Amino acid sequence: RCLQSPSVGFLTGGVLTSVEDVVESNFLLEHADLYSRETGGFWIGIYRNANGQLLWQDNSALDFVNWDEGQPSGEQLGDCVELSAFSGYWSILPCSSLKGSICKKPKDAKKDKPHGHMNTWIQLLLVLIILSGMGVMIYFLFKIKTQRETEREKRQCSTLLEYSHWTAMDKENDSTNDKEKNEHSSV
């Protein structure tokens, strides 16, 4: 929660809001209107620095203003700035006035990437899964190739054995025939 004192206005790392343009002003007015029964206005984060320059508490330049008629007058900016819940215009009031506060936290680069380490681990895990999958695929392809080569060698051996067997039988038959011829010729 933002503290009620606009001069402090800090949440954990937050400050009273800055209003950068008419769109943001309308957004704040729309949401402030929801709380208009509790308070007529909300503190916003304008202050005067040591040089007398108007700035937002988040140190952004005061490029957009939405002052109510007659505001700011003189050196009043030692006080605090209120956004009216009814009109959206800004007025200077003593900081002791009871008002709500509109606070915001600046964008934090570390918080914009809260899962940076987690993303790294997820990516590493995905790479390992992909590499494991490729390893399994290569193993099975190698196994299939080796199995086919073994089957081919078995067929070649089988064919050679059959050929050898038939050749041996032919030679046996030839030698048997030669013996028979020799025996017929000697008779």
Side-chain angles (χ1 to χ4, degrees), residues 80-137:
C80 299
V81 179
E82 171 213 31
L83 174 129
S84 168
F86 304 107
S87 67
Y89 291 117
W90 306 345
S91 301
I92 296 174
L93 298 174
C95 295
S96 59
S97 302
L98 291 177
K99 301 290 175 183
S101 298
I102 302 174
C103 298
K104 70 177 176 182
K105 284 187 174 184
K107 290 184 180 178
D108 185 3
K110 291 178 186 174
K111 289 189 179 187
D112 288 344
K113 300 177 184 178
H115 305 294
H117 293 294
M118 184 63 76
N119 287 340
T120 303
W121 285 108
I122 290 172
Q123 289 172 349
L124 182 62
L125 182 64
L126 287 174
V127 167
L128 289 174
I129 290 170
I130 290 169
L131 289 175
S132 298
M134 288 175 64
V136 168
M137 188 173 73

Side-chain angles (χ1 to χ4, degrees), residues 6-187:
S7 58
V8 177
F10 294 101
L11 323 133
T12 341
V15 294
L16 287 170
T17 193
S18 57
V19 184
E20 296 176 14
D21 55 35
V22 71
V23 173
E24 190 171 9
S25 180
N26 289 339
F27 173 83
L28 292 173
L29 176 60
E30 182 179 314
H31 288 84
D33 189 45
L34 299 173
Y35 299 98
S36 61
R37 286 187 180 183
E38 286 96 28
T39 181
F42 295 88
W43 298 123
I44 57 175
I46 295 177
Y47 77 99
R48 187 181 300 272
N49 68 10
N51 299 331
Q53 182 182 13
L54 296 177
L55 293 173
W56 292 107
Q57 283 185 357
D58 63 7
N59 292 320
S60 58
L62 190 66
D63 293 333
F64 171 79
V65 293
N66 197 21
W67 294 111
D68 200 355
E69 192 174 321
Q71 297 287 329
S73 61
E75 291 296 316
Q76 267 184 313
L77 274 176
D79 289 335
C80 299
V81 179
E82 171 213 31
L83 174 129
S84 168
F86 304 107
S87 67
Y89 291 117
W90 306 345
S91 301
I92 296 174
L93 298 174
C95 295
S96 59
S97 302
L98 291 177
K99 301 290 175 183
S101 298
I102 302 174
C103 298
K104 70 177 176 182
K105 284 187 174 184
K107 290 184 180 178
D108 185 3
K110 291 178 186 174
K111 289 189 179 187
D112 288 344
K113 300 177 184 178
H115 305 294
H117 293 294
M118 184 63 76
N119 287 340
T120 303
W121 285 108
I122 290 172
Q123 289 172 349
L124 182 62
L125 182 64
L126 287 174
V127 167
L128 289 174
I129 290 170
I130 290 169
L131 289 175
S132 298
M134 288 175 64
V136 168
M137 188 173 73
I138 289 170
Y139 168 77
F140 282 113
L141 288 174
F142 180 75
K143 187 175 177 181
I144 290 169
K145 181 182 176 189
T146 306
Q147 188 177 11
R148 285 184 182 165
E149 287 175 357
T150 306
E151 288 174 1
R152 188 176 308 131
E153 287 173 2
K154 284 181 183 177
R155 277 185 291 190
Q156 286 175 347
C157 285
S158 174
T159 304
L160 284 175
L161 284 174
E162 283 182 32
Y163 179 74
S164 299
H165 177 71
W166 287 109
T167 307
M169 286 183 66
D170 283 345
K171 285 183 183 178
E172 199 176 295
N173 284 343
D174 285 346
S175 64
T176 306
N177 285 342
D178 285 343
K179 280 184 187 177
E180 287 178 8
K181 285 183 187 178
N182 286 338
E183 286 176 9
H184 285 294
S185 49
S186 15
V187 182

